[in-house]
Amino acid sequence: YGRATGGLRREVSVTESLSILERIRDAELFSGLSERELSEFCERAESVEFVSGETLIREGREPGCMYVVTAGSVEVTKKI
């Protein structure tokens, strides 16, 4: 799980955890998880908000956590 290194971090309320659960329940990435596993995942989540243009992770570096985008969008680039 790990922790995000940037952005504005805050605790996730029970209501917000349920909202996250509803948003990820049907995602293919999480399709193999039981309801209990999904709930545990959401309970361990923390909300991180990033400003436009902020870098989440750089290529070649270990992220230390997993990001699940529940609102907004991200741009993924690769140096060649």
Side-chain angles (χ1 to χ4, degrees):
Y1 289 71
R3 287 202 168 282
T5 57
L8 177 61
R9 199 176 290 100
R10 65 183 171 77
E11 292 287 322
V12 175
S13 69
V14 173
T15 302
E16 194 171 18
S17 182
L18 291 172
S19 176
I20 293 169
L21 177 63
E22 290 300 318
R23 286 184 259 172
I24 68 170
R25 176 178 278 129
D26 296 325
E28 185 177 340
L29 176 65
F30 300 104
S31 64
L33 298 180
S34 68
E35 283 296 310
R36 181 174 180 219
E37 291 168 325
L38 280 171
S39 294
E40 288 176 9
F41 178 85
C42 292
E43 287 171 11
R44 294 180 182 186
E46 65 178 20
S47 178
V48 182
E49 295 179 21
F50 292 90
V51 296
S52 180
E54 189 171 357
T55 301
L56 277 68
I57 183 172
R58 296 199 182 281
E59 185 176 355
R61 293 194 181 161
E62 291 293 322
C65 66
M66 176 181 176
Y67 293 101
V68 177
V69 179
T70 60
S73 62
V74 295
E75 178 181 356
V76 178
T77 60
K78 177 167 181 59
K79 291 184 180 183
I80 51 172

